Amino acid sequence: MTITLLATLTIATALSAVPAHAHDRGTGTGMGMENCTASACHFDVPPGTYDVRVRLGGDTAASTGITGETRRTLLAETLTGAGEPVTRTFTVNVRTPEGEPTGAEGTPGLDLVIGGAAPALADIRVTPAAAAHRHTRQIFLVGDSTVCDQPGDPYSGWGQQLPQYLRKGVSVANYGDSGESTVTYLADPRLFGTVQPLIRKGDLVLIQLAHNDKQTDEATYRSNLETLVAGVRDKGGRPVLVTPIVRRWFNSDGTLNNGTALLVNGLGVDHPAVTRSVAAAHDVPLIDLTARTKALVESLGVEGSKALYLYNEKRDNTHTSAYGATAYAELVRDELLAQHLVPERLLR
């Protein structure tokens, strides 16, 4: 994997051209602190939201993808013909901790990894999103291990794959965290207590919590969802309730019509049904990811659906592989478009 010296010089030149007002804010962008190697770039910037513009391709055919921070897919692998470079843009959220809110802090600044079958990065420019886009949209994610930015292979949450479906002007701030229920997400100040003050008017907040509410009674589960919805609205945000992804737990007839697959807990609480009820009662948009993932898993069958989860690697029928998380993120993207929650021009 190589990036030519010319490309590296172009990167440095582009960054040094960032307007002076970006320097004045102390972002570090364009101040000579950038460092691009053959396969990665590091930008010494503080937490915030940044626009990234890349030019991909070169003299030969190439295939380039970009991931960043804690294994987020920011740009899906992109094919370019010989001598036919393309420009792509995206907006990325930089935060501390950079992955799960209760996890390791990660490395300061913005880190991007240049990958793909035959990567070719010709140019890159990073600028603070607020400089030109004061109304940059943010999508906050409130969720568990099936949503979060998973720190290591082979795990991946759908929220970790969602950024690749968004263009410049909207970023994903994934505050999903492994092991969290509606109870713990509200109780831990690192979770909703951190998310809520960051919400601005018009920001979307997608809420998917159920997998760890194994002993939460129905009244408490309902009340917790209502509290999260009210907390988002108090800040002018737009809550969106998301029913949980299914567990890959088949009946003998090839269906997932059982409590384990459909997230009915040990107390008989039907989490998707309660979520749908709360959404209807409080006029909250609903992404029925339970129904969408059930249909996909059943259509692939017992064998074909194994690749969506970590069955082959871990005998795990709950957590998704990168392939499965990407497929589920695409379902979320489709719903964001269909329900007009994000303008079509901002979706990829």
Side-chain angles (χ1 to χ4, degrees), residues 314-325:
K314 304 281 187 180
R315 294 297 187 269
D316 185 335
N317 291 309
T318 297
H319 297 97
T320 48
S321 62
Y323 169 73

Side-chain angles (χ1 to χ4, degrees), residues 110-132:
L110 171 61
D111 289 284
L112 302 176
V113 176
I114 315 303
L121 176 66
D123 189 18
I124 188 168
R125 178 184 176 104
V126 175
T127 54

Side-chain angles (χ1 to χ4, degrees), residues 103-225:
E105 288 200 357
T107 55
L110 171 61
D111 289 284
L112 302 176
V113 176
I114 315 303
L121 176 66
D123 189 18
I124 188 168
R125 178 184 176 104
V126 175
T127 54
H133 304 281
R134 298 196 180 279
H135 300 293
T136 296
R137 296 166 183 262
Q138 192 116 275
I139 299 177
F140 289 92
L141 302 183
V142 168
D144 52 35
S145 58
T146 66
V147 179
C148 74
D149 288 348
Q150 289 280 359
D153 285 328
Y155 294 88
S156 182
W158 63 255
Q160 201 163 20
Q161 301 297 333
L162 185 60
Q164 66 187 291
Y165 294 113
L166 303 170
R167 300 179 186 273
K168 185 179 77 171
V170 59
S171 67
V172 174
N174 189 353
Y175 284 84
D177 198 73
S178 294
E180 306 300 343
S181 65
T182 58
V183 176
T184 60
Y185 206 93
L186 285 166
D188 191 328
R190 295 171 296 179
L191 300 172
F192 196 62
T194 295
V195 173
Q196 189 185 27
L198 300 174
I199 299 169
R200 300 176 305 176
K201 184 177 181 180
D203 284 341
L204 290 181
V205 183
L206 275 55
I207 301 166
Q208 186 216 279
L209 288 167
H211 279 85
N212 300 300
D213 281 280
K214 298 179 178 68
Q215 296 301 318
T216 307
D217 64 78
E218 182 169 338
T220 302
Y221 184 68
R222 180 182 298 273
S223 176
N224 288 344
L225 289 180

Side-chain angles (χ1 to χ4, degrees), residues 12-344:
T13 301
L15 284 168
S16 67
V18 175
H21 58 72
H23 303 170
D24 294 341
R25 283 194 298 276
T27 64
T29 307
M31 296 179 68
M33 298 180 185
E34 75 279 3
N35 180 27
C36 286
T37 65
S39 60
C41 294
H42 171 76
F43 302 94
D44 188 13
V45 296
T49 306
Y50 296 89
D51 289 335
V52 180
R53 176 184 180 275
V54 295
R55 189 158 61 91
L56 308 175
D59 294 336
T60 60
S63 183
T64 312
I66 299 177
T67 59
E69 297 296 88
T70 302
R71 303 174 60 242
R72 304 176 211 162
T73 303
L74 301 170
L75 187 66
E77 194 158 344
T78 302
L79 300 176
T80 50
E84 299 176 348
V86 299
T87 298
R88 294 288 185 267
T89 59
F90 55 87
T91 301
V92 60
N93 170 257
V94 177
R95 60 183 184 273
T96 303
E98 69 179 34
E100 295 180 86
T102 66
E105 288 200 357
T107 55
L110 171 61
D111 289 284
L112 302 176
V113 176
I114 315 303
L121 176 66
D123 189 18
I124 188 168
R125 178 184 176 104
V126 175
T127 54
H133 304 281
R134 298 196 180 279
H135 300 293
T136 296
R137 296 166 183 262
Q138 192 116 275
I139 299 177
F140 289 92
L141 302 183
V142 168
D144 52 35
S145 58
T146 66
V147 179
C148 74
D149 288 348
Q150 289 280 359
D153 285 328
Y155 294 88
S156 182
W158 63 255
Q160 201 163 20
Q161 301 297 333
L162 185 60
Q164 66 187 291
Y165 294 113
L166 303 170
R167 300 179 186 273
K168 185 179 77 171
V170 59
S171 67
V172 174
N174 189 353
Y175 284 84
D177 198 73
S178 294
E180 306 300 343
S181 65
T182 58
V183 176
T184 60
Y185 206 93
L186 285 166
D188 191 328
R190 295 171 296 179
L191 300 172
F192 196 62
T194 295
V195 173
Q196 189 185 27
L198 300 174
I199 299 169
R200 300 176 305 176
K201 184 177 181 180
D203 284 341
L204 290 181
V205 183
L206 275 55
I207 301 166
Q208 186 216 279
L209 288 167
H211 279 85
N212 300 300
D213 281 280
K214 298 179 178 68
Q215 296 301 318
T216 307
D217 64 78
E218 182 169 338
T220 302
Y221 184 68
R222 180 182 298 273
S223 176
N224 288 344
L225 289 180
E226 291 172 336
T227 298
L228 289 164
V229 166
V232 172
R233 285 177 166 167
D234 283 347
K235 292 296 184 178
R238 301 174 64 198
V240 179
L241 288 173
V242 182
T243 59
I245 68 169
V246 294
R247 293 191 180 98
R248 184 189 161 278
W249 199 267
F250 282 92
N251 297 323
S252 59
D253 63 358
T255 69
L256 300 180
N257 297 321
N258 59 79
T260 299
L262 299 180
L263 280 296
V264 178
N265 76 6
L267 301 179
V269 180
D270 186 330
H271 293 105
V274 176
T275 303
R276 295 176 190 120
S277 173
V278 172
H282 296 277
D283 194 25
V284 178
L286 174 78
I287 295 177
D288 198 341
L289 204 52
T290 305
R292 295 294 303 268
T293 56
K294 178 179 184 289
L296 178 58
V297 171
E298 288 181 341
S299 71
L300 292 173
V302 174
E303 290 301 318
S305 63
K306 287 179 178 178
L308 294 171
Y309 292 83
L310 296 176
Y311 179 85
N312 294 324
E313 300 87 347
K314 304 281 187 180
R315 294 297 187 269
D316 185 335
N317 291 309
T318 297
H319 297 97
T320 48
S321 62
Y323 169 73
T326 301
Y328 289 176
E330 187 171 345
L331 296 178
V332 174
R333 186 278 312 270
D334 292 347
E335 288 295 319
L336 293 175
L337 176 62
Q339 298 189 42
H340 307 290
L341 295 169
V342 175
E344 185 175 0

